[in-house]
């Protein structure tokens, strides 16, 4: 998404020079959200972007992997040979974290690429017994699809609750029941001790003396590992392009890297947010859609005299479809000092508002898209809100603005 949108945005900004889009995969550029939804269940024909690259004058080099950067000579190193550049945009995304010791085991899957989804489709079609490791966003979406396909599903999570890294306990606690309602088993506070042929051996507080080593053994025809992702930036080691401690490319407020004429965008890049007073690394689709516009504006604008520059400081947004619910999140709640509920969190539709010094800074909406749309505008404007009105789910959220 980030690479394709950068190429499109460059043409929209008036860039007339050559554009080369390099991709490690052999497939035509495609969108990722359908991979864990319709494509996985065979309900979608494909996820290829509807972009006429030839008409845009964009050269596609597919099946070609970037391996390094020579900043002095302005060359991108690839497995097909060096590629000279005047400007370079790094949009290599993120890569899923594998479960140690399972990388070469048959029947153990990740879900990030089109090939991953294609390998998993027959697994779901066969209605296998499936163990999902990790109750994050991908784990929940895959478990949803697997249950819809008729598979027996057990989800194992090392933390005490699902979405532990994304949401506070008082919010995520209500999502644990979604698994049971769907017919999936959720096992929390438990780690995987080993993956064996036909099964998964557990360790931790939920372990029982049911198998070798005293751990509970789960039957598994297939295992899906969804324990997170990291920026795909290992290929930049030694390049001179500065990386943050989390492995992301250290971009500035205009998405420029530490190297001249090199930008970074999407899942692989972190950027400083004046809005939230911290550096953000956002692994979501909307960031890969919005960031390229800033990159294109700055890259094209840098060729013009007296150009000030475009600053990237978005209100992060993402959505997830899980267990029959449409979940949306906007903002960044880490620095909130107050939480306001809208609706009954044990019901089908509810929202959570996070405030900082009375202003709305983040919102989670479950089955309430209008709250999300109105809340996003309130966050963007920095509006303080009336807590009593915000807590009344019958009152439009926009009317809670002071």
């Amino acid at each position: 998404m980030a690479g394709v949108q950068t190429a499109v945005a460059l043409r929209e900004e008036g860039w007339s020079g050559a554009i080369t889009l390099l991709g490690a995969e052999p497939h035509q550029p495609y969108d990722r959200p359908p991979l864990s939804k319709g494509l996985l269940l065979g309900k979608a024909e494909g996820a290829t972007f509807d972009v006429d690259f030839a008409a845009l004058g964009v050269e596609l080099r597919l099946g070609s992997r970037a391996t390094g950067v020579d900043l002095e000579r302005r060359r991108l190193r690839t497995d097909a040979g060096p590629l000279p550049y005047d400007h370079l945009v790094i949009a290599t995304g993120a890569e899923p974290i594998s479960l140690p010791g399972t990388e070469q085991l048959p029947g153990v899957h990740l879900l990030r690429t089109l090939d991953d989804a294609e390998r998993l489709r027959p697994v779901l079609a066969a209605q296998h017994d499936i163990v999902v490791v990790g109750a994050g966003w991908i784990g929940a979406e895959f478990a949803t699809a697997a249950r819809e396909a008729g598979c027996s599903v057990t989800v194992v999570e090392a933390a005490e609750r699902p979405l532990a890294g994304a949401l506070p306990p008082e919010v995520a606690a209500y999502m644990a029941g979604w698994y049971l309602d769907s017919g999936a088993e959720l096992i929390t506070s438990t780690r995987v001790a080993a993956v064996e042929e036909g099964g998964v051996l557990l360790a931790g507080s939920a372990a029982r003396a049911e198998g070798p080593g005293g751990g509970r053994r789960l039957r598994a025809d297939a295992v899906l590992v969804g324990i997170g992702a990291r920026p795909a930036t290992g290929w930049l080691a030694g390049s001179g392009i500065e990386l943050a401690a989390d492995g992301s490319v250290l971009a500035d407020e205009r998405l420029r890297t530490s190297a001249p004429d090199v930008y970074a965008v999407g899942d692989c890049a972190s950027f400083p947010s004046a809005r939230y007073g911290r550096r953000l690394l956002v692994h979501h689709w909307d960031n890969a859609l919005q960031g390229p516009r800033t990159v294109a504006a700055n890259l094209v604008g840098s060729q013009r005299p007296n150009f000030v520059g475009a600053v990237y400081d978005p209100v992060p947004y993402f959505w997830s479809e899980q267990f029959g619910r449409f979940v949306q999140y906007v903002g960044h709640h880490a620095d909130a000092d107050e939480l306001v509920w809208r609706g009954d969190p044990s019901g089908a539709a509810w929202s959570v508002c996070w405030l900082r010094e009375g202003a709305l800074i983040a919102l989670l909406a479950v089955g309430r898209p209008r709250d999300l749309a109105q809340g996003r505008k309130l966050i963007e404007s920095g509006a303080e809100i009336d807590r009593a009105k915000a807590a009344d789910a019958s009152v439009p959220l926009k009317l809670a603005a002071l």
Side-chain angles (χ1 to χ4, degrees), residues 99-123:
L99 193 65
T102 67
E103 292 84 355
Q104 305 301 321
L105 291 180
V108 178
H109 300 264
L110 300 169
L111 181 52
R112 180 73 183 183
T113 68
L114 181 60
D115 288 338
D116 292 338
E118 293 292 351
R119 282 189 287 266
L120 282 162
R121 282 177 65 174
V123 173

Side-chain angles (χ1 to χ4, degrees), residues 117-161:
E118 293 292 351
R119 282 189 287 266
L120 282 162
R121 282 177 65 174
V123 173
L124 268 59
Q127 298 184 330
H128 282 313
D129 293 331
I130 294 175
V131 171
V132 179
V133 183
W137 300 112
I138 286 294
E141 291 190 359
F142 180 80
T144 298
R147 285 299 300 140
E148 186 175 338
C151 300
S152 173
V153 178
T154 304
V155 181
V156 182
E157 170 57 51
E160 296 178 355
R161 59 192 181 279

Side-chain angles (χ1 to χ4, degrees), residues 1-3 32 90-96 112 229-235 247-249 265-269 281 283 288:
M1 168 62 83
R32 294 194 188 278
I90 300 169
T92 45
E95 54 196 6
R112 180 73 183 183
R230 62 170 65 92
T233 57
W235 64 281
S248 64
V249 180
V265 67
D267 290 7
C268 70
L281 174 60
H283 280 185

Side-chain angles (χ1 to χ4, degrees), residues 18-373:
I19 300 175
T20 302
L21 186 59
L22 190 80
E25 295 182 63
H27 311 291
Q28 286 288 311
Y30 60 88
D31 207 2
R32 294 194 188 278
L35 302 186
S36 59
K37 302 176 179 69
L39 193 70
L40 196 59
L41 292 169
K43 294 182 177 181
E45 291 299 318
T48 302
F49 287 118
D50 185 19
V51 176
D52 190 337
F53 294 101
L56 285 176
V58 174
E59 179 188 358
L60 285 180
R61 295 199 180 189
L62 304 176
S64 186
R65 183 178 300 275
T67 59
V69 183
D70 184 339
L71 296 178
E72 185 176 349
R73 293 182 175 85
R74 290 181 175 252
R75 290 182 179 178
L76 178 70
R77 297 192 182 103
T78 80
D79 55 9
L83 185 63
Y85 70 85
D86 296 309
H87 304 270
L88 175 66
V89 180
I90 300 169
T92 45
E95 54 196 6
I97 299 171
S98 59
L99 193 65
T102 67
E103 292 84 355
Q104 305 301 321
L105 291 180
V108 178
H109 300 264
L110 300 169
L111 181 52
R112 180 73 183 183
T113 68
L114 181 60
D115 288 338
D116 292 338
E118 293 292 351
R119 282 189 287 266
L120 282 162
R121 282 177 65 174
V123 173
L124 268 59
Q127 298 184 330
H128 282 313
D129 293 331
I130 294 175
V131 171
V132 179
V133 183
W137 300 112
I138 286 294
E141 291 190 359
F142 180 80
T144 298
R147 285 299 300 140
E148 186 175 338
C151 300
S152 173
V153 178
T154 304
V155 181
V156 182
E157 170 57 51
E160 296 178 355
R161 59 192 181 279
L163 295 170
L167 297 173
E170 62 269 31
V171 176
Y174 288 97
M175 297 174 171
W178 298 357
Y179 290 80
L180 181 62
D181 293 344
S182 75
E185 181 182 6
L186 174 63
I187 302 173
T188 57
S189 302
T190 305
R191 295 184 179 276
V192 171
V195 177
E196 309 166 329
E197 183 178 354
V200 173
L201 184 64
L202 303 183
S205 60
R208 301 198 300 270
E210 295 182 7
R216 179 182 174 188
R217 190 178 188 276
L218 303 174
R219 174 177 168 78
D221 299 306
V223 178
L224 185 282
V225 179
I227 56 176
R230 62 170 65 92
T233 57
W235 64 281
L236 291 170
S239 68
I241 296 173
E242 190 175 357
L243 304 181
D246 57 17
S248 64
V249 180
L250 203 68
D252 67 7
E253 72 281 359
R254 299 177 189 174
L255 298 180
R256 300 172 300 190
T257 74
S258 60
D261 298 315
V262 179
Y263 297 78
V265 67
D267 290 7
C268 70
S270 60
F271 56 90
S273 170
R275 184 189 308 275
Y276 291 105
R278 63 171 62 202
R279 178 168 287 273
L280 298 181
L281 174 60
V282 182
H283 280 185
H284 294 295
W285 183 91
D286 192 62
N287 179 51
L289 175 68
Q290 304 295 339
R293 297 170 184 169
T294 299
V295 169
N298 285 319
L299 196 156
V300 175
S302 67
Q303 313 300 300
R304 301 168 182 159
N306 305 317
F307 178 69
V308 176
V311 171
Y312 188 59
D313 194 6
V315 176
Y317 165 74
F318 71 89
W319 80 97
S320 177
E321 297 176 38
Q322 47 186 274
F323 309 113
R325 295 166 174 86
F326 186 44
V327 183
Q328 296 171 285
Y329 177 95
V330 65
H332 186 72
H333 70 268
D335 297 321
D337 52 35
E338 190 174 353
L339 183 152
V340 177
W341 293 92
R342 282 174 60 81
D344 180 3
S346 64
W350 48 277
S351 297
V352 180
C353 299
W354 284 275
L355 312 182
R356 183 178 62 201
E357 298 178 355
L360 185 66
I361 62 169
L363 183 141
L364 173 77
V366 178
R368 293 181 65 93
R370 186 170 297 177
D371 278 2
L372 190 288

